[in-house]
Amino acid sequence: MSEENQRPSGADQSIESASAALVAFLDRLLDLGRPETMENLAATDITFSQLRVLCTLGSHGGPMPVNAIAEQVQLSLAAAGRTVDKLVCAGFVDRREDPDDRRIKRVSLTDDGTRYLETHLALQHDTVRRFVAGLPAEMRDNLCAALQPIVYDSVDHFLLEPEPGRKVS
């Protein structure tokens, strides 16, 4: 194999460098909020799987069938059903028959579930706010200038292209 084929191209190096920096940044940012997140989960006996289901329901904006929740949070249908059962018992979600097909159970957040999710997200937002407040003004401005075009561009940069050879469901 020639030396030319072994070296990453400039674009590949740029992708690797930016990816590594972003992952390191996000890991450190998540570490900042981890104590509050763990405390919040422990205080309510919520598991990570349950939190993932709550977040999925919160971002979906309406009732979801259990099979769609299972697919979204990457749990088996049985595990998703058990997770939903526990959330129903905790009063965080409601499960009702689909009016058009009684075999389908639709799950939605209750007011308590919505409040829990809002509290959890507020903790995360507070962590980010405290981090940003601790940055020098020039770094804050640079961070804002780098992120705003990505977030507010007319092109949705958050739509991922499937990896080559990976099946899309």
Side-chain angles (χ1 to χ4, degrees):
M1 189 178 245
S2 74
E3 188 176 313
E4 196 174 284
N5 290 338
Q6 293 175 353
R7 283 191 183 161
S9 71
D12 288 344
Q13 262 184 320
S14 171
I15 290 168
E16 290 306 314
S17 183
S19 296
L22 186 56
V23 166
F25 172 80
L26 292 173
D27 282 347
R28 298 281 309 271
L29 193 58
L30 287 171
D31 283 345
L32 286 177
R34 191 163 282 128
E36 289 93 353
T37 298
M38 295 301 182
E39 195 173 298
N40 190 31
L41 290 174
T44 56
D45 292 325
I46 293 290
T47 66
F48 284 115
S49 291
Q50 291 168 346
L51 180 60
R52 289 172 48 212
V53 168
L54 291 174
C55 289
T56 297
L57 288 167
S59 66
H60 188 264
M64 291 179 73
V66 176
N67 66 321
I69 294 169
E71 186 177 312
Q72 190 80 24
V73 299
Q74 298 178 338
L75 289 173
S76 71
L77 187 55
R82 288 190 300 272
T83 301
V84 167
D85 288 344
K86 290 177 184 171
L87 289 169
V88 168
C89 289
F92 289 143
V93 301
D94 186 37
R95 181 180 39 218
R96 296 178 190 252
E97 288 179 351
D98 185 293
D100 299 324
D101 186 345
R102 293 177 46 192
R103 296 170 296 175
I104 298 173
K105 306 294 185 233
R106 298 224 174 249
V107 180
S108 57
L109 288 173
T110 62
D111 289 343
D112 285 347
T114 300
R115 274 191 296 280
Y116 177 83
L117 202 50
E118 287 170 351
T119 299
H120 178 74
L121 293 173
L123 287 171
Q124 290 179 328
H125 292 173
D126 185 54
T127 298
V128 171
R129 238 180 260 107
R130 285 184 290 127
F131 166 75
V132 171
L135 291 174
E138 184 179 353
M139 280 188 175
R140 279 195 306 267
D141 294 344
N142 290 341
L143 181 63
C144 191
L147 295 177
Q148 281 185 338
I150 295 168
V151 174
Y152 300 116
D153 195 355
S154 61
V155 173
D156 188 349
H157 297 287
F158 294 93
L159 294 175
L160 295 176
E161 294 291 323
E163 291 181 34
R166 191 170 199 198
K167 283 178 95 175
V168 179
S169 52

